[in-house]
């Protein structure tokens, strides 16, 4: 299946619509819709727009996303041309398709963003100065990313090799989910003084915690919980090759 075909099938079944109902509303044959859902036909942009609107997908204008980012997500460039299938015999006369009007890059971006908005989320990449330097598309599962609300998740760009002993090096991207309480043994994003950094947490008792770091050898610093701010917990890291 194609990812767009998967999405159409998922939304149609979720709304308890038959293939015939959707095909009739879209002005296409039931067999055409079946081929799209099963990935045997490359759907054109105008047909994609019609089907997505029929399924109730809202139109959004996200001009800051490029077609390259979207195409890289849905693997548009890997789709090979397919030999058209001969039309199947039917008692009903074939319906003529409306003329296709050329679309701008922004309109095409909107179609794919609509299709992907329920399954992908652009997550900001923040540096140590808490300035956004880029963004990355991250899958959403059951409306959340790693169990957290998508709009509260960030990537932290490791500024140095102070966590190399924990296999996090300068330039790696670390996905952070919100967490304001210390978690023993977890790597957390910590803010104290004018700095934000990653540290492994060890609980000492009496509201004291140990902040562990290390390039090649482990180091540690004992602080009182009131002297720092815990921004979030690291759930995974993406290395730079």
């Amino acid at each position: 299946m194609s990812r767009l075909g998967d999405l159409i099938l998922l939304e149609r079944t979720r709304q308890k619509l038959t293939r015939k109902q959707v095909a009739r509303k879209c002005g296409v044959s039931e067999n055409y819709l079946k081929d799209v859902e099963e990935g045997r036909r490359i759907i054109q942009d105008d047909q994609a727009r019609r089907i997505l609107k029929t399924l109730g997908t809202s139109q959004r204008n996200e001009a800051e996303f490029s077609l390259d980012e979207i195409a890289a997500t849905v693997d548009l460039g890997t789709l090979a041309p397919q030999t058209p299938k001969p039309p199947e015999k039917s008692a009903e006369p074939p319906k003529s398709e409306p003329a296709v009007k050329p679309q701008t890059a922004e309109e095409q971006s909107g179609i794919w963003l609509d299709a992907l908005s329920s399954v992908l989320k652009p997550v900001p990449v923040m540096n140590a100065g808490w300035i956004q330097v880029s963004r990355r598309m991250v899958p959403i599962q059951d409306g959340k990313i790693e169990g957290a609300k998508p709009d509260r998740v960030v990537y932290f760009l490791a500024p140095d090799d102070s966590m190399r002993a924990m296999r996090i090096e300068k330039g790696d991207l670390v996905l952070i989910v919100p967490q304001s309480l210390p978690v023993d043994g977890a790597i957390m994003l910590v803010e104290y003084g004018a700095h934000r950094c990653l540290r492994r947490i060890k609980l000492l008792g009496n509201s004291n915690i140990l902040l562990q770091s290390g390039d090649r050898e482990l180091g540690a610093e004992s602080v009182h919980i009131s002297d720092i701010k815990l921004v979030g917990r690291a759930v995974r890291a993406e290395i730079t090759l």
Side-chain angles (χ1 to χ4, degrees):
M1 288 187 176
S2 68
R3 295 192 182 184
L4 182 56
D6 288 341
L7 177 63
I8 292 173
L9 176 59
L10 176 65
E11 287 299 312
R12 180 177 64 78
T13 54
R14 185 178 65 82
Q15 297 181 35
K16 298 181 180 180
L17 295 174
T18 66
R19 190 177 287 133
K20 185 175 182 180
Q21 288 174 320
V22 176
R24 182 177 297 174
K25 290 182 179 181
C26 296
V28 299
S29 68
E30 188 174 348
N31 286 331
Y32 178 92
L33 185 59
K34 183 174 184 293
D35 287 343
V36 170
E37 290 183 347
E38 295 179 355
R40 293 198 299 264
R41 183 185 293 268
I42 300 176
I43 188 169
Q44 297 181 355
D45 290 337
D46 65 320
Q47 295 290 2
R49 182 186 295 277
R50 185 179 301 113
I51 293 174
L52 292 172
K53 284 187 177 181
T54 299
L55 292 174
T57 306
S58 61
Q59 183 71 22
R60 297 186 306 168
N61 181 14
E62 298 281 357
E64 69 270 19
F65 296 107
S66 68
L67 281 177
D68 290 339
E69 290 177 305
I70 300 168
T73 303
V74 296
D75 296 328
L76 295 179
T78 63
L79 295 175
Q82 298 181 3
T83 303
K85 295 173 59 178
E88 299 182 7
K89 295 183 179 180
S90 174
E92 298 181 0
K95 296 181 179 180
S96 59
E97 299 291 342
V100 179
K101 180 182 178 181
Q103 294 178 317
T104 65
E106 182 177 345
E107 289 173 335
Q108 293 175 358
S109 298
I111 292 175
W112 288 110
L113 284 169
D114 284 342
L116 299 172
S117 60
S118 62
V119 294
L120 291 172
K121 168 72 176 178
V123 173
V125 177
M126 312 298 290
N127 64 14
W130 216 240
I131 298 173
Q132 180 176 336
V133 294
S134 63
R135 61 177 178 273
R136 294 180 68 84
M137 301 296 282
V138 179
I140 297 176
Q141 295 182 344
D142 299 325
K144 296 183 177 181
I145 297 176
E146 297 290 345
K149 294 181 178 180
D151 57 355
R152 299 191 62 194
V153 175
V154 299
Y155 273 105
F156 182 70
L157 181 64
D160 50 40
D161 290 328
S162 62
M163 293 294 286
R164 180 182 289 179
M166 289 80 168
R167 298 184 297 178
I168 298 175
E169 300 185 5
K170 181 179 180 179
D172 291 348
L173 296 179
V174 183
L175 188 64
I176 305 294
V177 299
Q179 176 72 45
S180 59
L181 297 177
V183 179
D184 191 39
I187 294 177
M188 303 189 71
L189 181 59
V190 179
E191 179 180 335
Y192 67 106
H195 303 284
R196 291 181 181 85
C197 57
L198 295 168
R199 293 292 184 265
R200 178 185 285 168
I201 304 296
K202 295 294 291 183
L203 301 181
L204 299 178
N206 296 324
S207 298
N208 291 316
I209 63 176
L210 199 64
L211 302 180
Q212 293 183 323
S213 62
D215 187 342
R216 290 176 174 81
E217 297 182 359
L218 284 178
E221 178 182 0
S222 177
V223 298
H224 192 272
I225 188 65
S226 62
D227 295 330
I228 66 172
K229 176 183 178 182
L230 296 172
V231 180
R233 177 172 55 88
V235 293
R236 69 168 181 260
E238 300 178 12
I239 65 172
T240 300
L241 298 178

